[in-house]
Amino acid sequence: MAPPTPPISSYVNYSIPAKNGASWSALLKVFAYVLLVFWAVIVVYPMVWSLIAALKTDAEIFRTPWSIPAILQFENFGRAWKKAQIGAYIGNTFLVIVPAISFTLLLSSMAAYVLARFEFTGKRLLSTMFLIGMMFPVFLALVPLYLVMRYIKEFTGIPMLNTFHGLIVVYIAYSLSWTIFFMTGFFKTLPKEIAEAAMIDGASHSQVFFRVMLPLSKPGLVSAGIFNFLGQWNQFILPTVLMSNANVEAGQTRYVVSQGLYYFQNQQMYQSDFSGLFAAVAIVTLPTLIVYLVFQDRIEKGLTVGALKG
Amino acid sequence: MSKKITRRDFVKASAVGSGAVLLAACSPAIVPPTAVPPTAVPAAPAMDLPFPMDASAVNPLGIGTEPIDGVFFSGGFGHDYINYAGTLVEGVHPGVKVSVKPIQKVSEELRPRLVEGNPPDVIDNSGAGSFSTTDLVNEGQLADLAALMDAPSFDTPGVKFKDTLFPGSQSSLVYDGKQMGVNIAYTVSAMWYSKPWLEKSGHTIPATWSEFLGVLDKIKKEGKMAPWTYQGKYPYYMWGIVLNQLMYKAAGTSAIIAIDNLEPNAWKNPDILRATQDLYALWDKGYIMEGTAGLTHTESQAEWLNGKAAFLPCGTWLENEMKDQTPADFKMTAAGIPGYADGKGDNSAVAAGGGEPFVVFAKGKNVKGGMEFLRAQLSRSSAKWFAENVSSIMPVSGVTDLKATEGVKSAIAVVETAGKNIIEFKLPDWYSEFGKEIEQRTGELLTGVVKPEGFVDLMQKKADEIAANADIKKFKRTS
Amino acid sequence: MNSRKNLFIFSYMALPVSLYFVFVLVPYLGAMAISLTRWTGTSTLDAIEFRGLQSFQRILSDEKFWSALSHNLLVLIVMPICTLALALLFAALFTQGLKGAKFFRIVFFFPQVMSVAIVAIVWGFVFHPTMGILNGVLNLVAQAFGRAGSNFPWLGNVNTVLPSVISVAIWQAVGFYMVLFIAGMQGIPEELYEVSRIDGASAWVQFWSITIPLLWETIRTAVVFLTIAAMDMYTYVTILTNGSGGPSRAADVLATYMYQQAFGGGNNSNPFGYGTAIGVVLLLIILMLSALGLRVTRREVNEY
């Protein structure tokens, strides 16, 4: 569910001084900068263009796609927020992903700790089982997953479909693979001696885990949390099947943000509101942009936290 | 994301302006619209109905007070017109609650409920991502609407429900003689142009396709605009509006029936090839606007409105769909697709009919309630509301006092000329995989990827494949 | 002591394993079972008929399946090569102490945090024939050389639709692998470079003789992840082609073909059984390619 994050050898400090800088000729340097600026424009311009489009009228988008808006159409944002219900979708999304991320982190680090630190029968099987989960195309599972949810209700009486708790549980299950993989790598980098010392002092395995190992793995947890945030915020296929508006009255919505955006994009085929769509795109991108800029260092380092030698 | 246009989607989007003229043209004219017996109000309904009712028309289906669970596609028509029908039902049946749940991707949202055996009572199965109605019929999911068809009309006294509907408007939902759903919108398929432009340019619209190609050629040579554009990313428009009509006009009814019945070599008919070659000429001679294949339907229509192309195929919803982007002096006008002086079909015939299918689920909790809802949905008052608020036409006769726009009037003229000669291909409705194939191949034909000979070969191959597949239920037509 | 340990292991693994089993493994196993049946996907379960390997046999002669698979394989070749080349190049530049490296790094990584749906919506407008940025730029260039502009439909032409989709995927992926490689490169001890510099090696030689070998493990992992991404492509293709798989289905990949067969009305005889069979084949191919990718790239890992 989270973006694929391969492990990397060591915890790296970015302030390492340049290697070999002196051997660069001026010409190469100019060439390098041209290339970098070129790529930066390719990355930034489509996004800036979308943001500008979010402030134009539909007619301006069609007739003068290159110009800046004559009057800034801030009401596009209001329309996207209220009429297109982007606000409600964002609320639903947080309702799901806050508990989902918390439990993903807790359960994954428990499993990862065991897999990283203990030898037992079946360990290899369990590791492989979690590992290949990252390779499954999710939508292959969609209809059977729907049936599983339905049977749970039949056997236990607990409704799972079209419920927030049902979606939370599924998000957790589909985030385990990657998060366990990531946290196992992390636990392996922590020195064994600390845990051993605590055990000698009479602490139980659980006490060691919660009082010693978990606090030590905070950097790893933060990284895993950020990646799960991005993955679950953008999750689309699972809620499409498990959260439907076919059971709620008009005016309410169970959709999460990606579904809502898709719904809005679909509506363009019937009632075009491109400026509203771009405003919605901007509203939805903003949280990820903020998370990224605030935690930029942590996200990049997060990639390097896991251990290669595991 | 996935937008597919199928014949039944044609009407989905938005709308035709509406018109008494059209209604008159299509009305079976049995209904005296104003003659309502004043004695006809029984057990006074809880709300003020906009009409009086016959005692026998209040609850002919015998519904109880169970709620009616409806899930509806909400596209260009919105769903307020459905809410309106819901209040009609609630007004006539105190205590009955009609729930209206608007959705978009019908099959994605509803598939789970069907698998669970817990379908809604009634749905609007339209739009991109709707179910294949045929598949639902084949699985026995849908209720036979015979009882509804024979029930008294909701608000046209003394007339059966089925007799208030435009002739031919419901035929696309007849399977093995049974009415398995009702279409709640009516549309005409035509090609469109700007009337002032045509007058100023001095061109005329000829009766035959070969002469028409000559006109396109002149437009091309003038170099001011491209002669033709279409809904590029959705080539189904070119099949369902142009190629189907060319084929009928070249080859005649028996050839179309042979194709629909999956007869061997039906596509190898030289007249069918001729029609295909005539469509291909649009690409071959360079008449199609550059970039067309990369545009969606609304984008290509916007280019056409901006004067980048002369002609565009579309249904009567075009006017409403593009109303925000249409220049005031554009005056869009419909014309029939030109045909053949020596064709085997009637040259004035046109493809027109019902769309936006509503169906009732056999396993719904309140099947009768679902049908009762449809009786109210296709009532005169609901049709009037639809016409006035969504500017679109329900195939219900006897709606009075409506104003038609110029564009719709021109489309109506096309239908009036055609009279009873309505062109209908059933194949893509009966077998959705054939619909997919024909859309893809029409797109290839219009971008030069396949040639006309290759096109008919591919169609025959697909037809043979379906005919040979014992897992696909086959349908036959005789007329 | 040992039973205490076992109890601990059990209590910590029980919940994650059972969640994973019930909500992840069971559905996939269920999908494998469905691939052996005929099922419309809308009827209730009692209408399912067992058909054995029928769907898999049909796949063998299904041209559209093979065409979709060939598109996946093209993505599989082009996307990893371009992504790795660009990511390695940028990573190498940024570890050379260029001024402004930090700024560029932040910018380059950003597409990675955007959702694929948004990326695809935005790029759909980049490739737009009349108001798209790409044709706008090309037409400016054309005008500068005195040529006429054009409204080329990048996503509406059989030859350009798949390359267009692939370039969007590369655009999004480069930043991620760049950061990965930067981290790897900074883990390489400086002394190795100093020694080789004394031997008179150029930066180019150093890159191939030191950086690449020492980064090899990271590159291998990257290849596996890019393989998985190349076999998916579902969201990119769906949103960029409005669900049609492109003109002539020229950008169709297995995932979109599976969707069209199972949900999109492209199959009237056995939509769900057949669609699921395509998914199962896709899964097997992914597993095979991942194993293969790891094996082919296996070489002596350089310890340092």
Side-chain angles (χ1 to χ4, degrees):
Chain A
M1 175 176 289
T5 306
I8 254 275
S9 50
S10 60
Y11 206 125
V12 176
N13 182 349
Y14 279 119
S15 60
I16 287 174
K19 289 168 186 152
N20 262 357
S23 69
W24 274 69
S25 74
L27 188 70
L28 267 175
K29 222 167 194 168
V30 169
F31 178 74
Y33 274 113
V34 168
L35 186 76
L36 293 178
V37 169
F38 177 72
W39 191 259
V41 168
I42 291 181
V43 168
V44 171
Y45 189 70
M47 291 189 272
V48 172
W49 186 86
S50 310
L51 187 66
I52 294 172
L55 292 164
K56 295 164 99 169
T57 64
D58 268 22
E60 284 176 320
I61 293 176
F62 272 101
R63 299 208 180 115
T64 51
W66 291 75
S67 68
I68 51 168
I71 302 161
L72 296 181
Q73 307 285 332
F74 286 108
E75 66 267 25
N76 291 342
F77 287 86
R79 202 169 61 244
W81 184 265
K82 282 224 80 147
K83 205 176 136 228
Q85 292 184 296
I86 297 290
Y89 302 145
I90 290 178
N92 287 345
T93 310
F94 276 107
L95 201 60
V96 172
I97 68 174
V98 169
I101 293 171
S102 315
F103 281 101
T104 300
L105 293 181
L106 179 67
L107 295 180
S108 302
S109 35
M110 284 160 60
Y113 180 64
V114 171
L115 290 174
R117 278 301 157 81
F118 294 86
E119 290 305 324
F120 57 95
T121 345
K123 173 175 156 171
R124 219 186 134 81
L125 178 75
L126 285 178
S127 303
T128 317
M129 189 184 84
F130 281 119
L131 191 67
I132 60 170
M134 285 191 288
M135 298 175 183
F136 292 162
V138 173
F139 55 93
L140 181 55
L142 290 182
V143 169
L145 174 63
Y146 180 89
L147 295 172
V148 166
M149 302 286 272
R150 183 192 134 199
Y151 280 119
I152 289 177
K153 186 185 173 192
E154 225 158 83
F155 290 126
T156 65
I158 306 167
M160 296 292 282
L161 292 162
N162 296 315
T163 63
F164 289 111
H165 65 258
L167 199 58
I168 291 168
V169 170
V170 171
Y171 272 26
I172 296 168
Y174 281 80
S175 304
L176 285 173
S177 243
W178 179 83
T179 318
I180 289 176
F181 178 67
F182 182 89
M183 290 307 295
T184 309
F186 188 83
F187 281 120
K188 283 187 182 167
T189 64
L190 296 179
K192 270 196 178 106
E193 295 73 25
I194 302 175
E196 279 160 9
M199 290 292 283
I200 290 164
D201 289 347
S204 72
H205 284 295
S206 259
Q207 283 167 331
V208 172
F209 176 72
F210 279 105
R211 301 215 183 125
V212 181
M213 300 315 284
L214 217 48
L216 275 178
S217 59
K218 207 175 131 196
L221 286 173
V222 172
S223 299
I226 293 164
F227 277 102
N228 276 306
F229 170 82
L230 294 174
Q232 295 186 5
W233 175 264
N234 292 331
Q235 178 54 247
F236 170 61
I237 295 175
L238 290 170
T240 299
V241 172
L242 303 177
M243 275 306 231
S244 157
N245 269 355
N247 279 319
V248 298
E249 297 299 324
Q252 300 171 357
T253 182
R254 286 281 170 92
Y255 287 161
V256 297
V257 88
S258 49
Q259 272 177 301
L261 201 63
Y262 175 57
Y263 186 89
F264 195 30
Q265 196 208 359
N266 261 303
Q267 271 184 331
Q268 304 299 317
M269 298 195 295
Y270 313 109
Q271 297 156 313
S272 62
D273 180 8
F274 285 105
S275 49
L277 179 65
F278 281 113
V281 164
I283 294 173
V284 174
T285 311
L286 214 60
T288 48
L289 180 61
I290 291 170
V291 168
Y292 173 56
L293 288 179
V294 171
F295 294 102
Q296 182 274 130
D297 250 17
R298 161 83 29 223
I299 289 177
E300 292 193 4
K301 278 179 190 160
L303 293 175
T304 68
V305 163
L308 176 67
K309 293 168 184 107
Chain B
M1 84 192 137
S2 93
K3 156 113 179 171
K4 50 162 191 168
I5 306 278
T6 66
R7 223 185 79 76
R8 64 181 178 277
D9 295 337
F10 268 168
V11 199
K12 98 206 152 232
S14 26
V16 272
S18 55
V21 198
L22 173 59
L23 304 175
C26 305
S27 154
I30 350 168
V31 187
T34 48
V36 175
T39 55
V41 189
M47 72 180 257
D48 286 331
L49 289 171
F51 48 85
M53 277 180 107
D54 266 340
S56 62
V58 171
N59 192 3
L61 297 166
I63 71 165
T65 53
E66 299 83 20
I68 299 170
D69 178 10
V71 179
F72 302 94
F73 170 69
S74 178
F77 296 140
H79 55 273
D80 285 343
Y81 75 99
I82 296 170
N83 282 323
Y84 179 83
T87 48
L88 288 182
V89 172
E90 288 176 353
V92 174
H93 304 285
V96 173
K97 169 98 182 65
V98 179
S99 99
V100 173
K101 293 155 191 158
I103 57 171
Q104 270 182 4
K105 295 273 175 166
V106 175
S107 71
E108 275 174 20
E109 302 239 6
L110 280 178
R111 179 181 307 275
R113 286 190 63 178
L114 300 195
V115 177
E116 207 175 359
N118 172 34
D121 301 319
V122 56
I123 68 166
D124 174 358
N125 183 31
S126 305
S130 53
F131 289 111
S132 150
T133 305
T134 309
D135 288 349
L136 294 179
V137 170
N138 291 342
E139 275 167 28
Q141 297 266 10
L142 302 184
D144 179 356
L145 300 183
L148 168 67
M149 299 308 280
D150 284 328
S153 147
F154 199 76
D155 57 359
T156 306
V159 181
K160 281 185 181 176
F161 175 79
K162 66 179 173 196
D163 294 327
T164 63
L165 306 176
F166 292 177
S169 66
Q170 306 303 329
S171 59
S172 66
L173 294 168
V174 174
Y175 290 88
D176 293 333
K178 290 178 187 155
Q179 192 73 43
M180 304 307 285
V182 286
N183 289 314
I184 64 94
Y186 188 83
T187 190
V188 182
S189 299
M191 61 181 203
W192 298 76
Y193 58 90
S194 158
K195 200 171 177 193
W197 163 79
L198 190 78
E199 282 161 3
K200 223 168 36 195
S201 69
H203 298 302
T204 51
I205 295 178
T208 69
W209 187 260
S210 56
E211 292 169 287
F212 181 61
L213 290 177
V215 172
L216 297 184
D217 203 56
K218 279 185 216 150
I219 297 171
K220 187 185 177 191
K221 291 204 173 105
E222 288 163 11
K224 287 186 207 134
M225 58 170 69
W228 186 274
T229 190
Y230 65 93
Q231 294 74 354
K233 284 191 176 174
Y234 312 115
Y236 205 93
Y237 282 76
M238 284 295 275
W239 152 251
I241 294 174
V242 185
L243 185 54
N244 63 339
Q245 309 206 45
L246 284 176
M247 281 182 179
Y248 163 80
K249 290 178 181 186
T253 308
S254 60
I256 306 309
I257 292 177
I259 284 177
D260 279 348
N261 288 343
L262 299 171
E263 284 172 20
N265 294 321
W267 286 90
K268 299 292 180 75
N269 182 332
D271 294 325
I272 294 294
L273 179 62
R274 177 187 184 187
T276 310
Q277 282 164 337
D278 281 337
L279 187 81
Y280 178 70
L282 292 177
W283 160 262
D284 197 36
K285 303 207 162 129
Y287 297 153
I288 297 172
M289 183 181 81
E290 194 199 4
T292 291
L295 298 172
T296 65
H297 60 310
T298 44
E299 290 163 2
S300 59
Q301 288 158 198
E303 296 289 328
W304 169 72
L305 289 171
N306 286 333
K308 301 281 170 56
F311 294 97
L312 167 108
C314 202
T316 20
W317 61 81
L318 174 67
E319 202 170 4
N320 189 63
E321 186 168 68
M322 303 308 291
K323 64 175 184 281
D324 294 339
Q325 293 173 58
T326 308
D329 56 351
F330 192 83
K331 297 207 171 72
M332 63 174 75
T333 308
I337 305 295
Y340 302 91
D342 57 346
K344 295 182 179 131
D346 180 343
N347 203 27
S348 65
V350 66
E356 196 90 5
F358 280 49
V359 296
V360 173
F361 280 96
K363 286 187 209 147
K365 291 189 186 69
N366 190 357
V367 176
K368 283 179 185 166
M371 291 192 205
E372 178 65 5
F373 174 83
L374 292 180
R375 204 169 65 95
Q377 184 69 77
L378 279 171
S379 63
R380 268 195 299 165
S381 56
S382 159
K384 184 162 182 180
W385 196 97
F386 194 59
E388 286 169 355
N389 296 278
V390 199
S391 41
S392 304
I393 300 170
M394 276 191 193
V396 179
S397 318
V399 183
T400 50
D401 311 327
L402 289 169
K403 293 182 186 102
T405 60
E406 289 299 313
V408 168
K409 274 186 191 157
S410 64
I412 289 157
V414 175
V415 178
E416 279 179 329
T417 327
K420 289 214 162 138
N421 291 311
I422 300 298
I423 302 170
E424 190 173 34
F425 270 84
K426 303 285 266 180
L427 195 56
D429 277 349
W430 283 342
Y431 314 107
S432 61
E433 63 176 86
F434 195 92
K436 294 279 159 195
E437 181 77 1
I438 205 165
E439 168 158 35
Q440 178 186 331
R441 303 305 181 188
T442 305
E444 292 177 2
L445 189 66
L446 291 166
T447 47
V449 176
V450 294
K451 301 280 182 288
E453 294 75 15
F455 178 88
V456 295
D457 283 351
L458 285 163
M459 289 302 106
Q460 189 59 52
K461 192 173 152 223
K462 188 70 195 177
D464 293 343
E465 194 186 307
I466 291 175
N469 192 329
D471 283 333
I472 301 176
K473 189 183 169 194
K474 312 299 186 308
F475 296 90
K476 293 276 178 237
R477 66 186 273 192
T478 51
S479 64
Chain C
M1 185 67 192
N2 217 356
S3 75
R4 201 179 127 196
K5 184 188 118 188
N6 285 340
L7 182 69
F8 172 77
I9 290 174
F10 178 80
S11 62
Y12 271 46
M13 293 304 287
L15 199 51
V17 168
S18 42
L19 274 182
Y20 187 75
F21 181 77
V22 171
F23 294 101
V24 181
L25 291 185
V26 167
Y28 282 105
L29 295 172
M32 289 179 194
I34 291 172
S35 71
L36 302 175
T37 66
R38 171 167 185 255
W39 185 35
T40 55
T42 44
S43 66
T44 43
L45 292 179
D46 45 9
I48 296 183
E49 299 165 40
F50 183 75
R51 286 292 173 88
L53 295 173
Q54 190 197 48
S55 290
F56 293 94
Q57 275 166 351
R58 188 169 156 190
I59 282 176
L60 292 177
S61 59
D62 182 350
E63 285 162 24
K64 287 179 180 158
F65 170 88
W66 294 105
S67 147
L69 179 59
S70 74
H71 298 151
N72 274 117
L73 296 180
L74 183 74
V75 179
L76 185 65
I77 294 165
V78 176
M79 193 180 79
I81 290 177
C82 295
T83 309
L84 290 181
L86 283 168
L88 279 168
L89 177 66
F90 292 145
L93 289 176
F94 293 147
T95 44
Q96 298 296 330
L98 284 181
K99 279 213 182 76
K102 171 118 180 157
F103 165 79
F104 284 114
R105 226 175 50 212
I106 292 176
V107 169
F108 289 9
F109 187 79
F110 183 64
Q112 181 64 37
V113 303
M114 291 172 76
S115 78
V116 179
I118 286 181
V119 167
I121 290 173
V122 169
W123 276 84
F125 280 91
V126 172
F127 291 123
H128 196 280
T130 54
M131 59 185 184
I133 298 169
L134 182 56
N135 278 342
V137 171
L138 291 177
N139 289 348
L140 280 183
V141 174
Q143 274 163 18
F145 287 93
R147 304 253 175 91
S150 99
N151 289 334
F152 190 81
W154 295 96
L155 298 172
N157 179 291
V158 284
N159 297 316
T160 54
V161 61
L162 188 57
S164 301
V165 173
I166 295 175
S167 57
V168 177
I170 295 171
W171 176 84
Q172 189 166 28
V174 163
F176 176 85
Y177 294 98
M178 171 196 79
V179 166
L180 203 62
F181 294 143
I182 289 174
M185 287 178 187
Q186 284 171 332
I188 300 174
E190 178 64 9
E191 302 83 60
L192 292 177
Y193 291 98
E194 275 161 17
V195 170
S196 81
R197 203 172 315 143
I198 293 166
D199 293 345
S202 68
W204 181 251
V205 171
Q206 285 179 354
F207 181 75
W208 286 105
S209 63
I210 301 173
T211 312
I212 294 287
L214 287 176
L215 216 52
W216 196 250
E217 270 308 293
T218 315
I219 295 174
R220 284 181 71 192
T221 326
V223 166
V224 171
F225 279 102
L226 283 166
T227 302
I228 296 170
M231 296 310 292
D232 178 358
M233 298 298 285
Y234 174 78
T235 318
Y236 291 113
V237 174
T238 301
I239 299 188
L240 284 168
T241 66
N242 299 59
S244 69
S248 300
R249 302 197 75 82
D252 215 11
V253 290
L254 284 184
T256 50
Y257 184 55
M258 171 189 166
Y259 185 90
Q260 192 247 15
Q261 292 287 300
F263 300 104
N267 185 321
N268 293 120
S269 53
N270 184 11
F272 230 81
Y274 192 66
T276 313
I278 295 171
V280 169
V281 173
L282 174 62
L283 177 60
L284 294 178
I285 295 175
I286 291 175
L287 291 176
M288 238 165 53
L289 285 173
S290 306
L292 194 73
L294 284 176
R295 179 148 303 189
V296 167
T297 54
R298 179 171 294 163
R299 59 152 100 162
E300 202 70 4
V301 175
N302 296 272
E303 295 283 344
Y304 44 86

